[in-house]
């Protein structure tokens, strides 16, 4: 996990749990070093990631003695800036990947399989199976048209049940159906999805539904970074 | 034969004896025993509530025993106590250090604790006389970061640390009652048994250890993982231990058989497990991974029955009560509800 020999080496990547905290702290330390003094940064890097491969005992220890000494009272302004940076990075991670503009029409079962298997592993694929004349399908299509514009990182598709080559599976009772995939895996399978909505439903209803299952990322998350959170206040 | 050589041979022979003893009691495998049980089917998790308020990554959270209140700790230097039913913040406690790794809610509901890179465990009294939440004690003795803490009662708390030890503290006097030493690597997490007589710890020496709280001794050690054990928890009935590791697997160890029952792994999962929570019934296991995904496992059949992607909020699971929480950066996956 650790191997630092280059200058701009990325430190070990545990993002969560106590190791996540250690890595965040390390990055914070590196960032807060004056950028115009590259020597300092190199020194810090050296201090933080001693090559542990030759010392088996050190391999089981996540923080070096020198690092413990570096922990101290932090400048609140620097911390605030760093937190914002962290949040921004997480956002970028969420919106990384190819962008789409509108709902794609899939012409066949093969096209369907291809889109599920070939898309970027971070891209969420939402497929709407519809059929002309079945109640709710047209409404769903217009809802997805809206959502496709608002969620450019999600690939919205639709396919006519007949075109799938498995029309018998998709009787009008289970339509419209929404299938959600990511990296080739089925994450959500919503048959007759309109049973969850009122007769007249809108893009926000579909959006809210998908959000409930954690399938859509939040469009824009303002971390209220500039507001001071009053301590001890009860709401 | 030199002394070292002799001792080495003795150690090897003891290890063989242990392996043989374990094999002798293994009359079946979990797969065989669970073969006739009906499949669970796909689980689709649903958000019940979203708790908003932290201004930065959330590093840890813990439920109160009433399953309504919970406490979370964030990089923004705050400990927030939430009422998960109303989504209101009951308390917002400012911390001295932003690098908090763990937080805990006392079974009584009177105290909360947290700790991290400051190497200390700070105890806060939520029910102070004048209504303000103040630091009650700062338990300092560890020479490494505080990775996890769990209350036994209002007077005792256990902490695990990056200095490879766990400590049982007397909160009233702020002193160490017992030091549990034995791990060869940073202790990453701990869990207290339902009967409060023992606790388990997972460490960067790839093992999990079962400790007797009163005796202060290590009763059992569970190996098998190929990397750090990051997360650990008791199976609801207290007879088994679940571990999650950087080797991308989770393992179930039976305490009485003193061996591993099953490994939860999938060739498509390549990143480490950093948190876990079994459902109340013990049928399901929620595992949080370092790539911000949560996989839901059928504990008996060792199959994945669901997946949940990391989102920037705190969702609650539909229909099943799961005690502790999943945590991942920026969000907490907390699960509660009522078991049908």
């Amino acid at each position: 996990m650790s191997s630092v020999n280059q200058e701009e080496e990325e430190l070990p990547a545990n993002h969560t749990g106590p190791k996540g905290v250690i890595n965040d702290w390390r990055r914070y330390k590196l960032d807060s070093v004056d950028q115009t003094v590259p020597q300092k940064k190199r020194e810090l890097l050296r201090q933080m990631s001693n090559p542990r491969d030759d010392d088996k005992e050190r391999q089981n220890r996540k923080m070096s003695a020198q690092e413990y000494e570096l922990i101290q009272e932090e400048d609140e302004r620097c911390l605030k800036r760093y937190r914002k940076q962290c949040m921004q990075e997480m956002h970028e991670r969420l919106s990384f990947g190819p962008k789409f503009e509108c709902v794609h029409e899939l012409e066949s079962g093969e096209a369907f399989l291809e889109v599920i298997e070939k898309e970027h592993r971070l891209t969420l694929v939402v497929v709407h199976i519809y059929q002309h004349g079945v109640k709710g399908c047209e409404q769903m299509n217009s809802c997805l048209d809206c959502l496709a514009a608002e969620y450019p990182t999600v690939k919205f598709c639709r396919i006519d049940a007949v075109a799938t080559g498995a029309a018998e599976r998709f009787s009008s009772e289970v339509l419209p159906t929404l299938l959600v995939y990511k990296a080739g895996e089925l994450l959500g399978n919503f048959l007759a999805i309109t049973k969850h909505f009122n007769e007249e439903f809108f893009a926000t209803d579909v959006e809210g539904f998908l959000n409930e299952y954690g399938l859509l990322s939040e469009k824009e998350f303002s971390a209220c970074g500039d507001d001071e959170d009053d301590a001890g206040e009860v709401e | 034969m030199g002394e070292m050589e002799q001792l080495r041979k003795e150690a090897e022979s003891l290890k063989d004896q242990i392996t043989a003893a374990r094999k002798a009691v293994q009359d079946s495998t979990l797969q065989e025993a669970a073969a006739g049980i009906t499949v669970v089917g796909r689980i689709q998790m649903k958000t019940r509530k979203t708790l908003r308020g932290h201004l930065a990554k959330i590093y840890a959270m813990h439920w109160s025993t009433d399953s309504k209140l919970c406490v979370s700790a964030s990089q923004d230097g705050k400990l927030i106590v939430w009422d998960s039913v109303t989504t209101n913040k009951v308390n917002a406690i400012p911390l001295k250090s932003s690098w908090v790794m763990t937080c805990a809610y006392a079974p009584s509901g009177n105290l909360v604790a947290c700790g991290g890179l400051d190497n200390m465990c700070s105890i806060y009294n939520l029910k102070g006389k004048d209504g303000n939440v103040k630091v009650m004690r700062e338990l300092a003795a560890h020479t490494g970061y505080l990775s996890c803490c769990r209350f036994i009662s209002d007077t005792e708390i256990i902490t695990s640390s990056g200095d490879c030890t766990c400590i049982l503290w007397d909160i009233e006097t702020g002193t160490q009652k017992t030091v549990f030493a034995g791990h060869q690597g940073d202790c990453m997490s701990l869990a207290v048994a339902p009967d409060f007589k023992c606790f388990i710890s997972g460490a960067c020496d790839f093992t999990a250890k079962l400790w007797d709280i009163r005796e202060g001794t290590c009763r059992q050690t569970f190996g098998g993982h190929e990397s750090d054990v990051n997360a650990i928890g008791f199976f609801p009935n207290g007879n088994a231990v679940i571990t999650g590791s950087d080797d991308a697997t989770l393992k179930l160890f039976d305490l009485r058989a003193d061996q591993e029952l099953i490994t939860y792994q999938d060739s498509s999962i390549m990143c480490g497990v950093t948190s876990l929570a079994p459902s109340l019934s013990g049928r399901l296991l929620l595992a949080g991974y370092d790539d911000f995904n949560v996989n839901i496992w059928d504990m008996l059949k060792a199959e994945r029955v669901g997946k949940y992607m990391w989102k920037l909020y705190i969702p609650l699971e539909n229909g099943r009560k799961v005690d502790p929480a999943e945590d991942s950066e920026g969000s907490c996956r907390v699960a509660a509800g009522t078991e049908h």
Side-chain angles (χ1 to χ4, degrees):
Chain A
M1 263 216 299
S2 63
S3 59
V4 183
N5 283 312
Q6 300 131 351
E7 213 139 277
E8 294 297 281
E9 183 65 34
E10 230 191 72
L11 298 171
N14 260 106
H15 302 289
T16 55
K19 288 178 193 166
V21 179
I22 293 175
N23 282 304
D24 286 340
W25 173 80
R26 279 186 183 142
R27 279 194 323 147
Y28 169 73
K29 273 309 200 192
L30 277 176
D31 288 346
S32 59
V33 163
D34 192 349
Q35 293 296 332
T36 62
V37 189
Q39 180 116 31
K40 251 191 179 169
K41 194 163 181 175
R42 251 178 279 140
E43 192 50 50
L44 247 182
L45 256 173
R46 212 173 294 138
Q47 282 190 355
M48 284 187 183
S49 338
N50 313 313
R52 300 198 187 111
D53 299 319
D54 52 343
D55 184 353
K56 189 171 194 271
E57 250 191 51
R58 291 305 299 170
Q59 255 181 333
N60 297 340
R61 307 303 307 279
K62 300 297 151 185
M63 277 186 69
S64 65
Q66 296 101 308
E67 282 178 313
Y68 277 113
E69 281 166 27
L70 286 173
I71 302 172
Q72 55 197 210
E73 284 290 314
E74 307 292 358
D75 184 325
E76 184 60 27
R77 264 172 316 141
C78 286
L79 274 175
K80 254 196 177 154
R81 207 171 45 217
Y82 180 67
R83 284 172 206 152
K84 264 200 171 146
Q85 196 188 322
C86 279
M87 295 301 280
Q88 204 141 334
E89 276 169 19
M90 288 196 290
H91 268 292
E92 274 160 30
R93 237 186 239 130
L94 261 184
S95 46
F96 180 81
K99 305 275 192 288
F100 310 94
E101 285 167 353
C102 54
V103 184
H104 296 247
E105 181 84 41
L106 300 169
E107 307 289 341
S108 65
E110 288 82 43
F112 174 65
L113 284 173
E114 209 179 305
V115 86
I116 295 169
E117 289 165 15
K118 299 273 172 63
E119 283 305 322
H120 191 282
R121 59 180 179 84
L122 291 180
T123 300
L124 194 74
V125 180
V126 177
V127 183
H128 171 211
I129 305 182
Y130 68 95
Q131 193 162 41
H132 292 294
V134 174
K135 192 168 168 59
C137 290
E138 204 181 308
Q139 269 194 55
M140 179 57 77
N141 275 330
S142 44
C143 288
L144 294 186
D145 283 334
C146 285
L147 292 182
E150 291 180 39
Y151 290 87
T153 52
V154 178
K155 182 160 188 170
F156 288 92
C157 307
R158 62 169 186 233
I159 184 168
D160 190 323
V162 171
T164 61
E168 341 69 63
R169 294 235 193 106
F170 301 110
S171 69
S172 50
E173 284 147 15
V174 300
L175 295 182
T177 281
L178 224 61
L179 300 172
V180 185
Y181 292 88
K182 192 177 187 192
E185 245 187 282
L186 177 68
L187 293 178
N189 176 9
F190 308 106
L191 300 171
I193 190 174
T194 43
K195 67 179 179 229
H196 299 279
F197 308 133
N198 295 329
E199 259 205 55
E200 274 224 28
F201 60 92
F202 306 94
T204 43
D205 296 311
V206 180
E207 183 184 20
F209 179 82
L210 290 175
N211 263 324
E212 265 193 310
Y213 287 88
L215 295 169
L216 282 181
S217 52
E218 296 227 345
K219 261 178 301 187
E220 140 212 331
F221 180 85
S222 50
C224 335
D226 297 318
D227 301 320
E228 270 309 301
D229 209 303
D230 297 274
E233 238 191 56
V234 176
E235 264 178 35
Chain B
M1 225 190 305
E3 206 184 332
M4 271 307 283
E5 192 50 41
Q6 224 173 343
L7 288 169
R8 202 170 288 143
K9 288 220 161 170
E10 202 182 322
E12 282 306 312
S13 120
L14 279 170
K15 277 193 205 161
D16 291 336
Q17 281 178 45
I18 294 176
T19 312
R22 284 176 175 168
K23 237 192 157 134
V25 293
Q26 191 190 12
D27 53 354
S28 170
T29 61
L30 184 57
Q31 291 94 324
E32 285 166 29
I37 297 179
T38 44
V39 179
V40 157
R42 285 197 82 249
I43 305 278
Q44 232 148 225
M45 291 224 286
K46 218 172 129 131
T47 305
R48 280 286 189 78
K49 296 282 195 301
T50 299
L51 305 179
R52 275 181 235 265
H54 275 301
L55 307 178
K57 286 193 202 177
I58 299 174
Y59 286 124
M61 71 87 62
H62 193 220
W63 280 105
S64 162
T65 41
D66 69 2
S67 290
K68 290 215 196 80
L69 297 174
C70 63
V71 62
S72 61
S74 157
Q75 194 191 65
D76 64 8
K78 293 260 168 55
L79 213 58
I80 296 184
V81 177
W82 309 84
D83 178 332
S84 66
V85 177
T86 61
T87 73
N88 286 339
K89 301 200 234 331
V90 178
N91 301 101
I93 307 164
L95 304 173
K96 281 193 203 162
S97 167
S98 307
W99 311 104
V100 54
M101 293 170 166
T102 179
C103 59
Y105 218 120
S108 64
N110 296 329
L111 309 172
V112 288
C114 69
L117 281 184
D118 56 0
N119 299 4
M120 282 194 318
C121 181
S122 306
I123 315 274
Y124 297 85
N125 185 355
L126 296 178
K127 310 281 169 78
K129 271 179 236 142
D130 51 2
N132 287 334
V133 177
K134 288 192 296 240
V135 178
M136 208 178 95
R137 285 287 176 276
E138 280 177 344
L139 308 172
H142 278 300
T143 53
Y145 58 87
L146 208 88
S147 52
C148 190
C149 59
R150 287 290 177 258
F151 283 94
I152 308 269
S153 65
D154 277 3
T155 51
E156 287 181 318
I157 189 170
I158 301 186
T159 56
S160 64
S161 165
D163 66 8
C164 308
T165 68
C166 295
I167 295 180
L168 169 70
W169 304 83
D170 177 328
I171 298 179
E172 306 267 291
T173 59
T175 55
Q176 307 166 60
K177 267 181 154 168
T178 319
V179 177
F180 301 89
H183 274 301
Q184 304 287 309
D186 297 14
C187 292
M188 296 303 292
S189 131
L190 74 99
V192 182
D195 65 3
F196 292 99
K197 294 208 182 119
C198 11
F199 76 94
I200 41 178
S201 60
C204 294
D205 59 4
F206 309 177
T207 70
K209 282 182 186 286
L210 174 76
W211 308 86
D212 183 315
I213 297 181
R214 294 304 148 212
E215 305 274 313
T217 51
C218 170
R219 289 228 289 246
Q220 286 167 269
T221 300
F222 301 97
H225 275 297
E226 293 166 12
S227 186
D228 303 343
V229 176
N230 295 320
I232 199 162
F234 270 97
F235 190 75
N237 66 8
N239 289 330
V241 164
I242 312 162
T243 54
S245 162
D246 266 346
D247 67 8
T249 72
L250 297 116
K251 285 180 190 284
L252 178 68
F253 296 93
D254 185 286
L255 293 181
R256 291 168 299 186
D258 189 41
Q259 57 194 278
E260 177 189 324
L261 288 183
I262 204 159
T263 297
Y264 303 94
Q265 64 191 346
D266 188 304
S267 52
S268 63
I269 304 175
M270 291 178 296
C271 85
V273 178
T274 50
S275 63
L276 61 88
S279 68
L280 244 204
S281 68
R283 184 63 200 267
L284 299 178
L285 174 64
L286 276 89
Y289 292 73
D290 206 46
D291 61 359
F292 321 126
N293 283 318
V294 175
N295 282 313
I296 307 168
W297 295 87
D298 174 336
M299 286 204 79
L300 296 179
K301 298 216 178 255
E303 283 162 7
R304 266 201 300 170
V305 292
K307 185 168 175 167
Y308 196 85
M309 294 181 312
W310 163 64
K311 290 296 157 238
L312 287 173
Y313 51 63
I314 308 172
L316 302 186
E317 190 195 333
N318 180 33
R320 263 156 250 245
K321 187 170 185 177
V322 175
D323 279 322
E326 304 287 354
D327 58 31
S328 36
E329 50 164 32
S331 78
C332 271
R333 210 119 334 116
V334 155
T338 31
E339 179 99 46
H340 292 317

